[in-house]
Amino acid sequence: MLFKQQALLRQKLLVLGSLAIGSLLYLVARVGSLDRLQPLCPIDGRFGPHSQDEIPLQALQFKRGLLHEFRKGNATKEQIRLHNLVQQLPKAIIIGVRKGGTRALLEMLNLHPAVVKASQEIHFFDNDENYAKGIEWYRKKMPFSYPHQITIEKSPAYFITEEVPERIYKMNSSIKLLIIVREPTTRAISDYTQVLEGKERKNKTYYKFEKLAIDPNTCEVNTKYKAVRTSIYTKHLERWLKYFPIEQFHIVDGDRLITEPLPELQLVEKFLNLPPRISQYNLYFNATRGFYCLRFNIVFNKCLAGSKGRIHPEVDISVITKLRKFFHPFNQKFYQITGRTFNWP
Ligand code: A3P
């Protein structure tokens, strides 16, 4: 009898506990989505003419609110007008380097309440057809934002495309330019891995990295191979420097962004004259993914797509050594020009 009563009590406690946890979870989710669902308060109450130092913390939450709804097509034209939302040309562009960690950098910067990202790579300046459509076409590709926010886009092809520096200069000669780099040989292998995966998806065969990176006739590094050329950072940067002073560039360490993202992001905040808002809270290491993922708030978090962080094929060590030796003088020049030194071999 006593045993039966105890079992009943345990069952009751279990039900009550589940109810309490359920209600708590509901409340948490509700609070997270409140500013997405409730009627919006007048813009001046929440976003007065703040100086950049005064960007309210809850803006992060708010940004996920209306802007998020707008992107999903749920915000009305009236809300957009009320909140003075605009499509602004970018104040900063992540111009490259392909496979340097450009997506991670953009997504992580987007954690900042004053930053709004252009989700897609727009390829305005490197694609003649797009460029011919004019600057208004480009602006219309930008996300809606509040006037105090800055828009950032990334198109890694900009870094290596001949015409781009002049075209960007014509749009805005004082724009801020972000370049994220990785150890050049690793970057080249990552570049190769992406192409290889594309071929495999189409059931096509592809050459081994070693065959592409080394000229079989001379046994020297094949500088015609795009993945090698892209990693000669200094060559590309020198073209940009014909239009922009070095102070307008900020170099991000893509290898460190993988292992220790916060200090790299803090350097970017400084470069963009943004108040420091991205914190350790916004970044958590996901052991399954093997990478840092993003936490916007108690409800919203996300990791980058599976296409980011691929397993690289094994490459012959003699080829790696040859490539590293080849890149070495270019790297030295790159350190000298940018004033940022890396421990690349
Ligand atoms: P790998 O796939 O070679 O590992 P990009 O966005 O410019 O294409 O760069 C892709 C690279 O971003 C990936 O290269 C990965 O290493 C790197 N990366 C940096 N931070 C990351 C993160 N938090 N999640 C996933 N990938 C990240």
Side-chain angles (χ1 to χ4, degrees):
M1 182 68 180
L2 189 66
F3 179 72
K4 228 175 173 182
Q5 269 180 344
Q6 273 180 345
L8 211 65
L9 194 65
R10 255 205 306 274
Q11 217 169 9
K12 271 184 184 166
L13 279 174
L14 206 72
V15 171
L16 277 174
S18 311
L19 272 174
I21 291 170
S23 313
L24 194 68
L25 282 176
Y26 171 77
L27 270 176
V28 163
R30 188 90 184 99
V31 168
S33 59
L34 263 185
D35 65 12
R36 296 195 295 144
L37 302 174
Q38 279 188 347
L40 298 151
C41 53
I43 182 87
D44 287 341
R46 294 179 81 164
F47 286 93
H50 291 284
S51 79
Q52 286 209 317
D53 276 348
E54 291 172 77
I55 292 166
L57 266 180
Q58 66 278 33
L60 179 59
Q61 186 81 347
F62 194 63
K63 186 170 116 179
R64 287 290 306 176
L66 181 60
L67 292 179
H68 186 68
E69 289 304 312
F70 183 78
R71 249 177 254 136
K72 285 180 5 192
N74 293 343
T76 63
K77 286 221 167 83
E78 181 58 12
Q79 283 173 323
I80 291 157
R81 199 188 55 75
L82 250 175
H83 288 270
N84 201 13
L85 290 179
V86 277
Q87 284 169 297
Q88 309 187 70
L89 286 171
K91 293 253 167 48
I93 304 183
I94 301 171
I95 57 173
V97 178
R98 176 181 151 94
K99 304 322 291 173
T102 52
R103 174 56 62 186
L105 178 61
L106 182 71
E107 297 293 334
M108 287 174 181
L109 288 177
N110 190 52
L111 287 163
H112 196 291
V115 170
V116 178
K117 63 163 185 181
S119 294
Q120 307 292 327
E121 290 182 10
I122 306 199
H123 290 280
F124 176 63
F125 297 104
D126 63 309
N127 179 312
D128 290 345
E129 214 174 288
N130 287 343
Y131 190 64
K133 290 176 188 159
I135 203 80
E136 264 308 288
W137 177 88
Y138 182 52
R139 198 180 60 77
K140 288 268 168 64
K141 290 276 169 199
M142 294 299 152
F144 279 86
S145 60
Y146 297 103
H148 75 267
Q149 293 177 313
I150 63 164
T151 301
I152 301 188
E153 84 124 327
K154 77 117 179 163
S155 293
Y158 290 167
F159 186 58
I160 57 159
T161 309
E162 196 94 6
E163 299 81 3
V164 173
E166 185 182 356
R167 288 174 176 179
I168 294 188
Y169 181 85
K170 279 183 181 156
M171 176 187 72
N172 178 359
S173 62
S174 58
I175 197 155
K176 301 205 172 193
L177 301 163
L178 294 161
I179 307 175
I180 177 162
V181 289
R182 271 163 97 186
E183 190 275 308
T185 303
T186 311
R187 195 221 64 82
I189 297 171
S190 171
D191 199 328
Y192 165 83
T193 310
Q194 172 156 323
V195 178
L196 175 71
E197 196 185 281
K199 301 273 179 195
E200 281 173 349
R201 224 180 301 121
K202 292 179 194 153
N203 274 330
K204 288 187 177 164
T205 52
Y206 195 45
Y207 303 104
K208 284 191 80 175
F209 176 78
E210 290 85 340
K211 188 143 190 217
L212 295 166
I214 305 294
D215 184 329
N217 299 318
T218 61
C219 285
E220 294 301 325
V221 169
N222 179 10
T223 50
K224 289 199 183 93
Y225 178 38
K226 197 172 167 196
V228 166
R229 277 210 321 272
T230 303
S231 282
I232 309 176
Y233 304 139
T234 182
K235 285 270 176 240
H236 303 288
L237 182 61
E238 279 165 34
R239 268 188 305 100
W240 283 85
L241 289 171
K242 290 186 190 140
Y243 292 89
F244 299 96
I246 194 68
E247 295 72 34
Q248 265 169 257
F249 295 85
H250 176 75
I251 310 296
V252 179
D253 182 343
D255 294 308
R256 191 164 173 234
L257 194 82
I258 295 174
T259 55
E260 216 186 332
L262 188 58
E264 279 305 315
L265 296 169
Q266 287 169 335
L267 290 174
V268 181
E269 286 181 323
K270 219 175 194 173
F271 172 70
L272 297 177
N273 290 326
L274 294 171
R277 284 289 186 273
I278 304 172
S279 72
Q280 202 58 63
Y281 171 81
N282 299 125
L283 301 155
Y284 66 96
F285 187 76
N286 181 314
T288 319
R289 277 292 274 118
F291 284 97
Y292 275 89
C293 296
L294 287 64
R295 183 185 288 122
F296 284 86
N297 55 41
I298 194 166
V299 179
F300 297 107
N301 53 51
K302 71 166 186 184
C303 297
L304 262 58
S307 59
K308 304 292 172 187
R310 296 185 176 99
I311 296 169
H312 298 177
E314 213 165 288
V315 173
D316 192 305
I317 188 71
S318 67
V319 172
I320 291 185
T321 310
K322 197 168 258 185
L323 280 168
R324 289 193 166 150
K325 208 166 153 206
F326 168 81
F327 287 125
H328 186 78
F330 297 114
N331 296 343
Q332 296 302 314
K333 187 110 186 268
F334 185 70
Y335 303 159
Q336 196 193 335
I337 296 176
T338 60
R340 187 147 195 199
T341 306
F342 299 95
N343 289 326
W344 297 335

